[in-house]
């Protein structure tokens, strides 16, 4: 992993300057992203499997995820603002990891609804700080000209982590206990704390010697950062369009796999657990292969084509689920999700970095886009379940496909092809 991490920091533009982060720090960042993805996998589909097998209704499972999403909504902007304001990004990330480990352990030990809801809320709040903290550390160690490739590599590690965790949790759920997945998530979180310690503080402090991004240049004595500068970021037309696209994408995507999970687990919980694990593994391994090339293509093709690939994968996947087929077909259908995982995980922070490069408030803007996605996810999980109960699963899948098409049309008509060469407004 050292060799791969080092590739992302080769000299690729005029904003590359003297001081460079050590390979140990870049390697620590890579391991951190891998292990965080492994931990967070335990809070996604496998919680739905766990709760469904414990005789939770589909509506109750949707409510649990909606409580978590609602907490994430409230925490997104404050979390981004917090990371934006503090100097110690590693400390913010470390405290968030401790909170997530505590949440995973609680869910593994007790499945009473109040405790599960509280633990999922805690994890969502921790993620609202952890995600922008990792983005900020990446931005601090990579010149802007190389940021697309590095974010692609970040997404590769995240996808590999999700695939490895899905394999471990799927096998544990099928042959030992479904609840074991949450203990594994806690263990991965502890390992992530150790990886975080490998990122040297001096490499983060040297950010102004590596990148010219305004968010990493601390103001001089007597310079006051006013709230109107932060508010102006939220009024940026391109940022608003990006936030709208992510709201629609999550509105359609958040309830898609849980809806398919519910159908499979109700037939056979053990087989359903293995099939979902296989589907996640296949899609994440494909995403790991595609992520770094997409990061490079974002510089040659422009930002918008990569964003469109991620958004339009949703209607394709939802349409395939609507067609039905044998239970094992979920593996093939979910493989389409690799396009979304590879592109959106990289292109969204890259677009935000482009927009904020001369204005600052990078993590606050990430929190703003995350807020929009959180709203979509909160409504989407309940909407998908309610629509399936009312009109049937095929109709629900087609409705989610339509939402994905609207997101793609919004990006196509209102975003420029090359955001990186347009001066932020």
């Amino acid at each position: 992993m050292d060799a791969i991490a080092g590739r992302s920091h080769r000299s690729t533009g005029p904003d590359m300057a003297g001081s460079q982060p050590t390979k140990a720090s870049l390697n620590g960042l890579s391991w951190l992203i891998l292990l965080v993805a492994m931990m967070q996998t335990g809070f996604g589909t496998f919680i739905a499997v766990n709760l469904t097998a414990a005789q939770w209704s589909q509506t109750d499972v949707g409510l649990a995820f909606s409580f978590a999403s609602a907490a994430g909504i409230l925490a997104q902007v404050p979390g981004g603002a917090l990371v934006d304001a503090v100097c110690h990004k590693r400390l913010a990330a470390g405290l968030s990891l401790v909170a997530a480990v505590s949440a995973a352990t609680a869910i593994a030990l007790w499945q009473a609804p109040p405790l599960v809801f509280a633990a999922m809320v805690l994890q969502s709040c921790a993620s609202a700080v952890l995600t922008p903290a990792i983005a900020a550390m990446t931005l601090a160690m990579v010149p802007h000209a190389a940021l697309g490739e590095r974010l692609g590599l970040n997404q590769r590690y995240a996808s590999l982590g999700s695939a490895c965790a899905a394999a471990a949790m799927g096998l544990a759920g099928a042959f030992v206990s479904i609840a074991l997945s949450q203990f594994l998530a806690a263990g991965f979180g502890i390992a992530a704390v150790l990886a975080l310690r490998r990122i040297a503080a001096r490499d983060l402090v040297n950010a102004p010697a590596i990148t010219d991004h305004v968010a990493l240049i601390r103001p001089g004595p007597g310079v006051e950062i006013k709230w109107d500068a932060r508010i102006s970021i939220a009024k940026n037309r391109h940022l608003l369009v990006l936030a709208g696209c992510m709201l629609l994408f999550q509105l359609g995507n958040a309830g898609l796999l849980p809806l398919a999970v519910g159908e499979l687990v109700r037939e056979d919980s053990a087989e359903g657990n293995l099939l979902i694990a296989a589907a996640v593994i296949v899609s994440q391994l494909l995403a790991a292969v595609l992520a770094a090339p997409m990061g490079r293509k974002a510089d040659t093709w422009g930002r918008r084509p990569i964003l469109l690939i991620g958004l339009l994968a949703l209607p394709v996947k939802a349409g395939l689920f609507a067609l039905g087929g044998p239970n094992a077909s979920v593996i093939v259908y979910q493989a389409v999700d690799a396009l979304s995982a590879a592109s959106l995980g990289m292109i969204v922070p890259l677009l935000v970095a482009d927009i904020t490069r001369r204005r600052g408030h990078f993590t606050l803007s990430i929190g703003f886009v995350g807020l929009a996605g959180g709203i979509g996810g909160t409504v989407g999980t309940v909407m998908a379940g309610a629509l399936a109960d009312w009109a049937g699963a095929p109709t629900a899948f087609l409705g989610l496909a339509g939402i994905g098409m609207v997101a793609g049309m919004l990006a196509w008509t209102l975003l420029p092809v090359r955001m990186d060469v347009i001066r932020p407004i």
Side-chain angles (χ1 to χ4, degrees):
M1 190 173 288
D2 280 311
I4 299 176
R7 286 174 47 208
S8 69
H9 198 65
R10 64 177 183 268
S11 180
T12 56
D15 56 353
M16 184 77 169
S19 180
Q20 299 183 26
T22 62
K23 286 185 177 181
S25 290
L26 289 170
N27 194 46
L29 177 65
S30 300
W31 279 108
L32 173 65
I33 292 166
L34 181 92
L35 290 164
V36 166
M38 295 179 76
M39 176 189 70
Q40 291 179 334
T41 299
F43 289 98
T45 304
F46 288 98
I47 282 187
V49 172
N50 193 351
L51 298 180
T52 302
Q55 305 304 312
W56 284 45
S57 70
Q58 189 166 316
T59 300
D60 289 339
V61 173
L63 284 174
F65 279 93
S66 293
F67 270 106
S69 296
I73 286 175
L74 296 176
Q76 286 294 330
V77 172
L82 174 65
V83 176
D84 199 19
V86 301
C87 297
H88 303 290
K89 316 296 185 187
R90 290 195 313 163
L91 178 60
L95 293 175
S96 301
L97 285 169
V98 171
V101 168
S102 301
T105 304
I107 295 173
L109 294 175
W110 303 282
Q111 291 183 347
L115 184 60
V116 171
F117 290 170
M120 293 181 70
V121 165
L122 176 63
Q123 189 273 336
S124 293
C125 293
S127 182
V129 175
L130 181 59
T131 298
I134 291 174
M137 289 188 289
T138 302
L139 190 69
M141 292 192 288
V142 180
H144 196 85
L147 188 58
E149 183 177 1
R150 177 64 224 194
L151 289 172
L153 289 172
N154 283 6
Q155 186 57 46
R156 169 176 289 178
Y157 301 133
S159 297
L160 285 173
S162 296
C164 293
M169 293 176 184
L171 291 172
F175 299 108
V176 184
S177 169
I178 292 177
L180 183 58
S181 62
Q182 302 309 124
F183 286 114
L184 289 174
F188 297 144
I190 294 171
V193 174
L194 299 178
L196 180 64
R197 290 176 57 85
R198 298 192 62 186
I199 301 176
R202 64 180 178 275
D203 288 332
L204 302 178
V205 172
N206 287 335
I210 297 169
T211 177
D212 64 351
H213 200 291
V214 172
L216 298 171
I217 300 175
R218 307 299 297 180
V223 177
E224 181 182 0
I225 300 177
K226 298 182 179 180
W227 272 103
D228 57 358
R230 295 185 174 103
I231 295 172
S232 68
I233 286 292
K235 295 179 180 178
N236 185 286
R237 179 170 61 88
H238 295 143
L239 189 64
L240 288 172
V241 172
L242 178 61
C245 290
M246 295 312 299
L247 186 151
L248 290 170
F249 177 82
Q250 292 297 343
L251 183 66
N253 190 65
L256 189 58
L257 192 55
L259 187 60
V261 168
E263 298 296 319
L264 290 176
V265 174
R266 273 167 177 42
E267 294 181 16
D268 186 331
S269 61
E271 181 188 9
N273 193 64
L274 286 174
L275 287 174
I276 294 301
V280 173
I281 291 168
V282 169
S283 66
Q284 293 300 325
L285 288 178
L286 287 174
V289 173
L290 295 173
M294 282 192 175
R296 292 189 291 269
K297 291 299 183 182
D299 291 325
T300 56
W301 292 356
R303 312 310 201 207
R304 189 177 68 182
I306 304 300
L307 178 63
L308 286 171
I309 289 173
L311 294 176
L312 295 178
L314 169 59
V316 173
K317 181 175 67 170
L320 289 172
F321 275 120
L323 293 175
N327 286 348
S329 63
V330 69
I331 299 174
V332 179
Y333 298 166
Q334 184 63 15
V336 179
D337 191 61
L339 296 173
S340 294
S343 59
L344 295 181
M346 173 274 300
I347 202 64
V348 170
L350 181 57
L351 283 168
V352 173
D354 289 339
I355 293 169
T356 62
R357 186 176 182 182
R358 302 302 179 204
R359 308 196 67 149
H361 306 300
F362 171 64
T363 56
L364 176 63
S365 299
I366 284 183
F368 179 74
V369 176
L371 167 65
I375 293 173
T378 299
V379 177
T381 50
V382 175
M383 181 189 70
L387 187 57
D389 290 339
W390 175 64
T395 301
F397 287 132
L398 290 176
L400 300 179
I403 294 172
M405 289 297 296
V406 174
M409 291 175 61
L410 184 66
W412 175 262
T413 56
L414 297 180
L415 285 179
V417 175
R418 296 200 62 89
M419 180 75 71
D420 54 320
V421 298
I422 291 183
R423 186 178 181 83
I425 55 178

